[in-house]
């Protein structure tokens, strides 16, 4: 699992460099998210545009990542591909996270 | 579309299952599974195979997961077989998902597998036979379901 992190303005952008987040990498993902978001801006944007598939374990790992941030910080999700978006919609996790069609949309919201 | 079918076996580990599920999705697409159904099939297939890896072989020596796919013009049937423990009560769970209308720290991090399978498959059948679990997932491929 590989994550890349950059800070732009008041948001930290974490890009997932893997084509899937599934049971085989859920634990690693959660651990990597913990170390990447240790300290840093209040708002974290997870760029999922390179992820074509997620299963319920991967979904659970993203939920766990948001819990790790605690109540004072927030995890927004950007660039959900169709299958990933469907898993969020079916499980109603789309009502828990702020979802943005693209990273640019997420950053524009931030500016406004 | 002619009658297409294939099978794939792999050891019941998370890493092998991850690669196996990706390979199955690719094969199905090559054999003509319409793009509009590919995502749904892959989600349900992944959840069913992950269940085998995570539950069927708990406390017993992990063996193989065997997946057989039969693709026709109007339907796809996938049979997932293993030699692990039978499903509780010898039937597929109802899969009622945990509520997401809760405090942040109480949000569910799992328990969505059977719910997703039931949402996405047109029909589900389970058989325990001679030490094997067979889970049959059927997907109707009618074009009307796209609109």
């Amino acid at each position: 699992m590989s994550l890349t992190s950059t800070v732009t303005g008041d948001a930290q952008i974490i890009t997932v460099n893997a084509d899937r987040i599934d049971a085989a990498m859920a634990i690693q993902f959660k651990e990597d998210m913990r170390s990447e978001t240790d300290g840093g801006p209040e708002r974290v944007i997870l760029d999922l545009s390179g992820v074509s598939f997620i299963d319920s374990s991967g979904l659970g790992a993203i939920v766990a990542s948001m819990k790790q941030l605690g109540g004072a910080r927030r995890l927004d999700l950007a660039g959900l591909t169709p299958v990933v978006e469907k898993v969020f919609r079916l499980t109603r996790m789309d009502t828990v996270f702020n979802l943005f069609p693209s990273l640019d949309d997420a950053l524009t919201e931030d500016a406004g | 579309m002619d009658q297409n079918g294939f099978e794939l076996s792999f050891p019941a580990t998370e890493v092998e299952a991850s690669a196996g599920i990706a390979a199955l999705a690719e094969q199905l697409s090559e054999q003509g599974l319409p793009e509009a159904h590919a995502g749904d099939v892959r989600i349900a297939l992944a959840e069913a195979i992950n269940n085998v890896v995570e539950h069927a072989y708990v406390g017993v020596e992990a063996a193989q997961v065997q997946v057989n796919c039969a693709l026709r013009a109007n339907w796809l049937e996938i049979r997932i077989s293993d030699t692990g423990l039978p499903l509780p009560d010898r039937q597929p769970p109802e899969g009622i998902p945990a509520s997401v209308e809760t405090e942040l720290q109480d949000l569910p991090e799992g328990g969505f597998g059977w719910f997703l399978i039931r949402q996405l498959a047109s029909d589900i059948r389970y058989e325990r036979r001679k030490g094997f679990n067979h889970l049959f997932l059927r997907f109707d491929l009618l074009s009307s379901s796209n609109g």
Side-chain angles (χ1 to χ4, degrees), chain B residues 30-90:
Chain B
E30 277 172 18
Q31 299 221 354
L33 176 66
E35 181 64 33
H37 295 278
D40 289 3
V41 169
R42 185 169 179 182
I43 296 166
L45 184 59
E47 297 301 334
I49 290 172
N50 287 341
N51 281 339
V52 172
V53 174
E54 290 164 24
H55 302 298
Y57 289 117
V58 169
V60 297
E61 195 181 344
Q64 297 286 116
V65 185
Q66 186 181 333
V67 184
N68 288 268
C69 299
L71 184 59
R72 303 292 183 269
N74 293 330
W75 54 264
L76 164 69
E77 187 169 84
I78 299 175
R79 186 185 76 195
I80 300 164
S81 307
D82 66 80
T83 54
L85 305 171
L87 285 177
D89 302 329
R90 309 222 164 189

Side-chain angles (χ1 to χ4, degrees), chain A residues 20 22 55-56 67 86, chain B residues 18 40 47 50 107 109 115:
Chain A
R20 53 189 188 261
D22 63 9
D55 65 11
S56 62
K67 290 184 187 177
K86 183 145 197 181
Chain B
S18 177
D40 289 3
E47 297 301 334
N50 287 341
L107 282 172
E109 294 176 34
F115 171 74

Side-chain angles (χ1 to χ4, degrees), chain B:
Chain B
M1 189 191 304
D2 288 320
Q3 298 194 349
N4 285 322
F6 61 93
E7 70 170 68
L8 184 70
S9 289
F10 46 85
T13 67
E14 286 180 342
V15 171
E16 296 283 352
S18 177
I21 291 157
L24 285 161
E26 195 172 327
Q27 279 258 33
L28 284 167
S29 158
E30 277 172 18
Q31 299 221 354
L33 176 66
E35 181 64 33
H37 295 278
D40 289 3
V41 169
R42 185 169 179 182
I43 296 166
L45 184 59
E47 297 301 334
I49 290 172
N50 287 341
N51 281 339
V52 172
V53 174
E54 290 164 24
H55 302 298
Y57 289 117
V58 169
V60 297
E61 195 181 344
Q64 297 286 116
V65 185
Q66 186 181 333
V67 184
N68 288 268
C69 299
L71 184 59
R72 303 292 183 269
N74 293 330
W75 54 264
L76 164 69
E77 187 169 84
I78 299 175
R79 186 185 76 195
I80 300 164
S81 307
D82 66 80
T83 54
L85 305 171
L87 285 177
D89 302 329
R90 309 222 164 189
Q91 57 187 348
E94 280 189 61
I96 297 166
S99 172
V100 300
E101 284 165 22
T102 175
E103 295 299 314
L104 172 70
Q105 293 303 328
D106 295 330
L107 282 172
E109 294 176 34
F112 288 114
W114 279 105
F115 171 74
L116 289 169
I117 297 167
R118 287 192 178 279
Q119 291 283 307
L120 298 169
S122 312
D123 188 49
I124 300 170
R125 199 155 47 86
Y126 170 75
E127 288 175 11
R128 177 75 183 181
R129 214 164 49 206
K130 296 177 179 171
F132 280 83
N133 296 308
H134 298 291
L135 182 70
F136 298 85
L137 302 180
R138 193 182 167 100
F139 300 86
D140 294 332
L141 306 178
L142 302 172
S143 53
S144 59
S145 66
N146 301 340

